[in-house]
Amino acid sequence: MPDSALLPPFAAALLVHGIIGGTDVLLNHELIAKLPSLPNAGAEQGLHCARELVFAVIFIALAWWEPGGVFSWAIAALFLAELIVSTVDTVLEVKIRVLPVSERILHVLLFVNLGIVMTLLAQVLPGWAARDSGLRFVHYGWASWVLSAMAGASLLWSLRDGINVLKRRRRSVVLAAAP
């Protein structure tokens, strides 16, 4: 059973990703852009909801388990989904708002770090895939707990953004039905 002294490189890079992503959300999306209150940011908020949900699953899964067989490909699929969501988000957000320099910088760092995480995972994925399907418990000490906290924060933020998207849709339906 791995411990904190044996933190795999992909887990360390995932921790860095959570820190950069959390900084982007709090600083740029909330404090500077105030996305939840922007009238034209519904689609972007929907993409953020999806991304946050994907990362909630990734953080909690890789904090405590090594996936084997079919489960390892589920992790790969989650990262592919994240890459697609982030690519669409990058195209969409420049169409609806001007991004501050801090957001542009953090997005570059996020994409670079995502590449690092995916590259490091690609090194362990074949070994995981070769094992029987299942989940093997791991414990990386403090890092497992920090990743769990990041999973919880990502899940809560996903719910918040999802509720915001639903409220926007409800509002637009009511406005469209008004005489």
Side-chain angles (χ1 to χ4, degrees), residues 7 15 23 30 35 41 58 62 66 91 117 120 128 132 150 153:
L7 184 65
L15 287 165
T23 301
E30 297 300 320
L35 279 182
I58 288 170
L62 294 179
E66 282 184 358
V91 172
V117 172
L120 293 170
W128 290 351
D132 290 337
M150 289 177 172

Side-chain angles (χ1 to χ4, degrees), residues 159-173:
L159 290 170
R160 177 185 175 269
D161 284 347
I163 289 167
N164 185 281
V165 169
L166 291 174
K167 284 181 181 177
R168 287 172 184 270
R169 287 188 183 150
R170 220 176 297 131
R171 241 182 274 132
S172 66
V173 168

